RNA sequence: GUGAUUGUAGCUCAGUUGGUUAGAGCGCCAGGUUGUGGCCCUGGAGGCCGGGGGUUCGAGUCCCCUCAUUCACCCCA
């Protein structure tokens, strides 16, 4: 259309929307602090090898969705982060955070990049917030992570979200199950669709959560991972469910839930929203005890984490009408100047208001008084402060409440004091 | 990567079987007595009808290509 076109799958967030993002982010920060998670910020790109090893080379993300490039002809390939977990783990290992067996609780908010075809709730650049609990892995740790995530949702006012949860067992249990599953599907090979055939080779577990109805019918009769779990794994899962129950967190056990990333084990979970289209997963996570080893660590770093898609979260909030009532960023005062020869004084006045912590705007384009008033109305200012010849000579200013049309005339000091009180009240209610 | 969808003013959209200066609502700007907005009234600015090629006396309307959008598959947050 125009010569100005953002890259496919990317978008701009203008001020009206930024208010919404800031709101969500501040709720995230507040609750993370409540649980003792502290923020980590890591690079937007990493060596490609990190993701290949961390996420798994059989996954679509690594196979075909990474933005990779070579910054220097002889250098190593690097990749725009398609997810956060591998990077967070790398950072922790690099800093040797676990030398004394410590536990680290970290959260993040940041942009990710995946070269997928854009559609509703899916972009090539998107944002997630999430948390990683590193250094210990236990049902208690899983419960902490899930309840942080769910508490953010409920604090934002979200309703009707569905938490699905499952256990994937440990590596050994999973590989026995995997073989059994493969063997079971072989006789039905010809009835499988293309995608499932490929999965049968690479990652048979993922056939379980196929969207294809005929595949789903087939899956109903397939072996269940549960039957391959040892007592300790089952008890581990039961304990997670126990904690969730204690905290009044509703969940559905879903045996077909298989997370797409290779590093998960034991508990895996996903939160979906019926408000979204086909891309209905708003957040997900699980335990990934083996990730550190996969990345080459010589010691075990058991861990649990979750990630939530900001865009999908905001879409859901929008559909539930949760974005309308957010506090506005409108100025408290709009300074209205009567005559051109008073604009310098007006500028000074606006500056004085701001010095007193009162948000103030003033016309910068030499507009008529009527236009200035319209502008004051348009930016939704609470008050108009008039500066004309009378005010200039008397030192008393007229302040108009734009909602009630009431107008008072006071000295500048009195007005500053009045507005500071109003500002305090305003922030109390917003 | 596959399949479909849409592309006309800042925004949401109309544009009849192809036919003279392409429209509406909202928004924007300016007026409606001299120092005061929101409502109302009047006027105004703003579109090579996504881009390129073709058919035709003539195309926003038909055909092809291209770019972009949206939705679904795949996969995932």
């Amino acid at each position: 259309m125009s010569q100005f076109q953002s890259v496919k799958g990317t978008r701009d967030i203008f001020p009206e929307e930024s208010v919404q993002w800031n709101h969500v982010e501040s709720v995230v920060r507040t609750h993370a602090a409540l649980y003792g998670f502290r923020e980590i910020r890591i690079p937007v790109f990493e060596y490609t090898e990190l993701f290949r090893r961390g996420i798994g080379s059989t996954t679509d993300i690594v196979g075909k969705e990474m933005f990779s490039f070579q910054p220097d002809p002889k250098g190593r390939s690097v990749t725009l982060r398609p997810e956060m977990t591998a990077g967070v783990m790398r950072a922790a290992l690099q800093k040797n955070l676990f030398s004394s067996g410590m536990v680290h609780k970290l959260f993040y908010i940041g942009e990710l990049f995946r070269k997928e075809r854009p559609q509703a709730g899916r972009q090539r650049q998107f944002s997630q917030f999430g948390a990683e609990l590193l250094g210990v892995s236990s049902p208690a740790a899983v419960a902490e992570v899930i309840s942080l995530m769910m508490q953010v949702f409920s604090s934002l006012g979200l309703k009707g979200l569905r938490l699905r949860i499952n256990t994937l067992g440990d590596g050994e249990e999973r590989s026995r199950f995997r073989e059994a599953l493969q063997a079971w599907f072989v006789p039905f090979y010809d009835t499988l669709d293309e995608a499932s055939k490929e999965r049968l080779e690479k990652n048979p577990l993922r056939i379980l959560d196929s969207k294809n109805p005929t595949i789903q019918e087939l899956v109903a009769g397939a072996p269940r991972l549960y039957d391959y779990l040892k007592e300790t794994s089952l008890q581990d899962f039961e304990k997670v469910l126990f904690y969730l129950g204690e905290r009044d967190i509703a969940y559905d056990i879903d045996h077909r839930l298989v997370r797409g990333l290779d590093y998960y084990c034991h508990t895996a979970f996903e939160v979906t929203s019926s408000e979204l289209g086909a891309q209905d997963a708003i957040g997900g996570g699980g335990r990934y005890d083996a990730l550190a080893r996969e990345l080459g660590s010589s010691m075990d770093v058991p861990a649990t984490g979750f990630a939530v898609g900001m865009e999908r979260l905001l879409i859901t909030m929008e559909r539930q009408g949760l974005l309308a009532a957010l506090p506005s960023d409108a100025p408290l005062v709009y300074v209205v100047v009567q005559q051109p020869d008073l604009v310098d004084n007006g500028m000074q006045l606006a500056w004085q208001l701001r010095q007193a912590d009162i948000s103030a705007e003033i016309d910068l384009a030499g507009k008529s008084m009527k236009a200035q008033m319209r502008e004051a109305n348009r930016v939704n200012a609470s008050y108009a402060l008039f500066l004309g010849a009378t005010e200039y000579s008397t030192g008393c200013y007229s302040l108009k409440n734009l909602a009630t049309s009431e107008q008072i005339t006071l000295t500048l000091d009195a007005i500053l004091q009045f507005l500071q009180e109003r500002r305090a009240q305003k922030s109390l209610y917003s």
Side-chain angles (χ1 to χ4, degrees), chain A residues 33 36 88 118 120 125 138 148 198 241 323 384 396:
Chain A
V88 170
Q125 177 179 329
S138 64
L148 167 57
E198 202 178 318
L241 300 181
L323 298 177
C396 288

Side-chain angles (χ1 to χ4, degrees), chain A residues 83-224:
Chain A
E83 57 106 52
M84 284 287 201
T85 302
V88 170
M89 182 62 91
R90 187 230 88 227
L93 291 169
Q94 181 174 337
K95 203 177 178 191
N96 207 15
L97 291 183
F98 308 105
S99 54
S100 50
M102 285 178 67
V103 171
H104 294 278
K105 299 192 285 186
L106 302 167
F107 81 93
Y108 58 80
I109 300 172
E111 294 72 44
L112 287 333
F113 306 85
R114 261 125 86 161
K115 199 162 56 192
E116 300 178 279
R117 195 77 162 263
Q119 75 181 77
R122 190 174 69 190
Q123 306 230 225
R124 288 185 164 187
Q125 177 179 329
F126 61 105
S127 302
Q128 289 184 345
F129 70 83
E132 313 286 3
L133 203 166
L134 310 174
V136 63
S137 199
S138 64
V142 174
E144 287 282 277
V145 162
I146 293 178
S147 66
L148 167 57
M149 177 179 72
M150 296 307 284
Q151 204 173 328
V152 168
F153 291 148
S154 63
S155 176
L156 288 169
L158 265 340
K159 297 202 171 66
L161 297 181
R162 179 171 176 230
L163 171 65
R164 290 152 63 226
I165 190 164
N166 191 23
T167 180
L168 305 174
D170 62 24
E172 188 193 321
E173 291 159 345
R174 205 138 41 115
S175 66
R176 282 205 303 133
F177 174 61
R178 182 193 158 105
E179 284 168 29
L181 203 59
Q182 255 168 340
W184 188 85
F185 271 113
V186 168
F188 300 104
Y189 188 82
D190 291 334
T191 61
L192 295 178
D193 56 25
E194 284 308 310
S196 297
K197 282 177 182 172
E198 202 178 318
R199 288 180 193 163
L200 189 57
E201 297 270 329
K202 289 183 178 174
N203 193 344
L205 297 215
R206 272 197 281 158
I207 297 179
L208 299 182
D209 64 11
S210 169
K211 280 184 189 172
N212 188 327
T214 60
I215 302 293
Q216 273 308 325
E217 279 181 41
L218 206 56
V219 166
R224 287 188 165 199

Side-chain angles (χ1 to χ4, degrees), chain A residues 336-339 367-374 386-387:
Chain A
V336 176
V337 179
Q338 183 206 344
Q339 316 155 349
K367 288 182 178 172
S368 71
M369 194 164 172
K370 178 172 189 148
Q372 291 179 56
M373 283 302 286
R374 282 189 174 147
F386 295 100
L387 171 59

Side-chain angles (χ1 to χ4, degrees), chain A residues 139 229-241:
Chain A
L229 295 183
K230 289 179 294 221
E231 193 57 29
T232 53
S233 288
L234 286 170
Q235 279 170 358
D236 183 285
F237 189 49
E238 288 299 326
K239 190 73 178 176
V240 171
L241 300 181

Side-chain angles (χ1 to χ4, degrees), chain A residues 28 54 98 173 272 283 415:
Chain A
V28 168
F98 308 105
E173 291 159 345
T272 53
I415 281 176

Side-chain angles (χ1 to χ4, degrees), chain A residues 51-101:
Chain A
F51 300 119
R52 215 189 294 287
R53 298 172 68 155
I55 301 171
S57 50
T58 63
T59 61
D60 278 18
I61 293 178
V62 170
K64 55 185 186 188
E65 295 173 3
M66 296 202 299
F67 284 103
S68 300
F69 58 99
Q70 246 175 313
D72 147 15
K74 291 181 292 183
R76 285 201 268 166
S77 168
V78 302
T79 294
L80 261 29
R81 40 142 100 139
E83 57 106 52
M84 284 287 201
T85 302
V88 170
M89 182 62 91
R90 187 230 88 227
L93 291 169
Q94 181 174 337
K95 203 177 178 191
N96 207 15
L97 291 183
F98 308 105
S99 54
S100 50

